[in-house]
């Protein structure tokens, strides 16, 4: 068995164990509003909630919304923590370490299919729907012989976490290009490590999102596939979510978080320059590359049709233990 396959199998086992452990914790009394799920309120009536995010462009609206006072307006204070991907954020939310999280929708569907009680509360981020001009793409380094997604057969592709929306949509790009996705090897790597991994020949290609995409292009790298747009027009890539127990026991806080986040998303869509500025406060993107960033779309409502397409791909690729219940999962 190759090192890559061992890595993938080990990670899958660990992730499944973590999710099931989190599910058990969620079913305990500690998630009923005490212990890790408690949301303290200060003298001004502001409730502090913990939100798990990934340090990428996708979540810029919450950073900007916090700066503009949208969460304060709804009597909330955000305590932000970062993780490598949604698959790592899910157990933290369900176990009560954080009250809300940001995750790609595939990881949420996989969690739900494994019996982990999660539910979306508000949309997160959508594709631009423009091939070659999206905020996420499959890239290769300068001088790479790879030209299309079909060329990924037998190659190593970096994704931020395994069994998530990125490897799922890359497989769809390979299929559409006439290739066999089962011949692609995926390895896990943080987005900000991918540019160096490409130039150092640690991987043949990488599925990156902004700001890593801008960094790769600045180093002469090329886009060979727009995996999000290859999968569905106007693809809903990620959502903000909570545990079903927290949603039940703290409906008012969830309602306020949803309202504040929707305001933040709407503001982000109309103020691209402020989004580019706020990004430099929590990522490693050089200020010189801000103008090169391709911004996603931040609608307040998820595109259900695109999520149904992802569910079909998840079924096809054997990602689910049982079919996900989109009516229960989607906001």
């Amino acid at each position: 068995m190759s090192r890559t396959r061992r890595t993938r199998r080990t990670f899958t086992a660990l992730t499944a164990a973590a999710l099931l452990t989190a599910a058990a914790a969620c079913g305990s009394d500690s998630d009923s509003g005490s212990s890790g799920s408690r949301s303290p309120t200060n003298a001004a009536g502001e409730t502090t909630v913990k939100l798990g995010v990934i340090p990428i462009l996708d979540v810029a609206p919450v950073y900007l919304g916090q700066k503009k006072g949208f969460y304060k307006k709804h009597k909330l204070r955000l305590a932000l923590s970062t993780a490598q991907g949604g698959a790592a954020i899910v157990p933290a939310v369900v176990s009560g370490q954080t009250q809300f999280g940001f995750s790609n929708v595939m990881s949420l569907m996989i969690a739900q299919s494994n019996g982990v009680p999660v539910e979306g509360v508000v949309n997160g981020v959508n594709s631009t729907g423009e091939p070659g001009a999206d905020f996420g793409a499959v890239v290769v380094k300068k001088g790479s012989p790879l030209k299309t997604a079909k060329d990924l057969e037998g190659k190593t592709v970096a994704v931020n976490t395994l069994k998530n929306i990125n490897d799922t949509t890359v497989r769809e790009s390979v299929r559409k290009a006439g290739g066999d996705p089962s011949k692609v090897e995926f390895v896990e790597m943080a987005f900000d490590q991918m540019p160096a991994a490409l130039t150092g020949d640690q991987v043949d290609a990488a599925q990156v999102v902004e700001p890593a995409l801008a960094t790769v292009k600045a180093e002469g790298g090329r886009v060979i596939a727009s995996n999000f747009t290859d999968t569905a027009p106007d693809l809903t890539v990620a959502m903000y979510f909570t545990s079903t127990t927290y949603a039940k026991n703290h409906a008012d806080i969830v309602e306020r978080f949803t309202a504040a986040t929707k305001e933040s998303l709407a503001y982000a869509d109309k103020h691209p320059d402020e989004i580019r500025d706020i990004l430099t406060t929590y990522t490693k993107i050089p200020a010189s590359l801000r103008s090169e960033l391709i911004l996603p779309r931040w609608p307040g409502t998820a595109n259900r049709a695109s999520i149904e397409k992802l569910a079909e791909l998840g079924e096809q690729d054997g990602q689910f233990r049982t079919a996900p219940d989109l009516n229960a999962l989607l906001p």
Side-chain angles (χ1 to χ4, degrees):
M1 182 185 296
S2 70
R3 177 184 61 81
T4 301
R5 290 189 183 277
R6 286 198 301 270
T7 300
R8 179 164 56 188
R9 182 170 293 179
T10 299
F11 175 80
T12 300
L14 290 173
T15 299
L19 289 173
L20 291 174
T21 299
C26 184
S28 70
D29 291 339
S30 66
D31 196 49
S32 64
S34 59
S35 185
S37 288
R38 180 182 295 124
S39 301
T41 300
N42 64 17
E46 296 171 345
T47 302
T48 297
V49 292
K50 297 177 181 179
L51 170 63
V53 296
I54 311 167
I56 53 178
L57 174 62
D58 308 33
V59 298
V62 296
Y63 283 89
L64 186 55
Q66 183 169 236
K67 179 181 178 181
K68 302 301 291 189
F70 298 144
Y71 290 92
K72 184 175 183 178
K73 170 185 171 182
H74 291 277
K75 299 294 184 179
L76 292 176
R77 299 181 67 183
L78 292 184
L80 295 162
S81 60
T82 60
Q84 185 166 314
I89 293 173
V90 169
V93 171
V94 178
S95 64
Q97 296 175 47
T98 62
Q99 285 74 52
F100 298 94
F102 176 87
S103 175
N104 70 87
V105 293
M106 180 57 70
S107 289
L108 292 178
M109 287 191 286
I110 291 172
Q112 189 198 58
S113 78
N114 283 322
V116 180
V118 291
E119 62 179 77
V121 296
V122 63
N123 195 48
V125 66
N126 282 32
S127 163
T128 66
E130 300 179 28
D134 202 6
F135 77 104
V138 182
V139 294
V140 295
K141 74 171 188 176
K142 181 180 180 180
S144 170
L146 306 184
K147 304 296 183 184
T148 71
K150 186 178 187 304
D151 297 330
L152 296 175
E153 288 183 352
K155 306 300 181 182
T156 302
V157 180
V159 292
N160 68 317
T161 57
L162 301 172
K163 293 178 70 67
N164 80 354
I165 193 170
N166 294 324
D167 51 5
T168 297
T169 54
V170 170
R171 290 189 184 95
E172 182 65 0
S173 287
V174 173
R175 288 189 190 97
K176 286 199 167 183
D180 183 352
S182 69
K183 296 180 180 179
V184 180
E185 292 287 348
F186 293 98
V187 295
E188 182 183 281
M189 186 178 297
F191 285 122
D192 62 3
Q193 296 174 7
M194 293 181 188
L198 283 171
T199 58
D201 293 323
Q202 296 176 40
V203 293
D204 299 300
Q207 195 289 322
V208 294
V209 296
E210 296 287 16
L213 177 57
T215 301
V216 170
K217 289 179 177 178
E219 296 172 350
R222 294 181 290 105
V223 171
I224 64 169
S226 296
N227 51 299
F228 295 154
T229 61
D230 283 343
T231 300
D234 186 29
L235 178 69
T236 289
V237 176
M239 294 188 296
Y240 294 93
F241 72 100
T242 190
S243 72
T244 55
T245 304
Y246 189 85
K248 177 182 178 181
N249 293 341
H250 304 279
D252 176 63
I253 295 176
V254 172
E255 183 178 345
R256 285 186 277 150
F257 176 84
T258 298
T261 303
K262 282 190 174 183
E263 286 189 39
S264 300
L265 295 171
Y267 189 88
D269 258 340
K270 295 179 180 178
H271 297 83
D273 289 342
E274 293 185 51
I275 283 291
R276 296 177 195 277
D277 289 341
I278 201 75
L279 189 66
T280 62
T281 67
Y282 68 93
T283 75
K284 300 176 182 179
I285 185 74
S288 60
L289 291 181
R290 285 182 300 182
S291 63
E292 306 300 320
L293 297 170
I294 298 175
L295 302 186
R297 294 181 57 250
W298 285 292
T301 303
N303 179 355
R304 182 176 178 119
S306 71
I307 297 174
E308 290 173 347
K309 173 64 175 180
L310 285 173
E312 292 174 8
L313 294 177
E315 292 273 10
Q316 181 176 341
D317 292 335
Q319 299 277 51
F320 305 133
R321 178 177 296 180
T322 59
D325 180 357
L326 298 186
N327 289 331
L329 180 64
L330 301 184

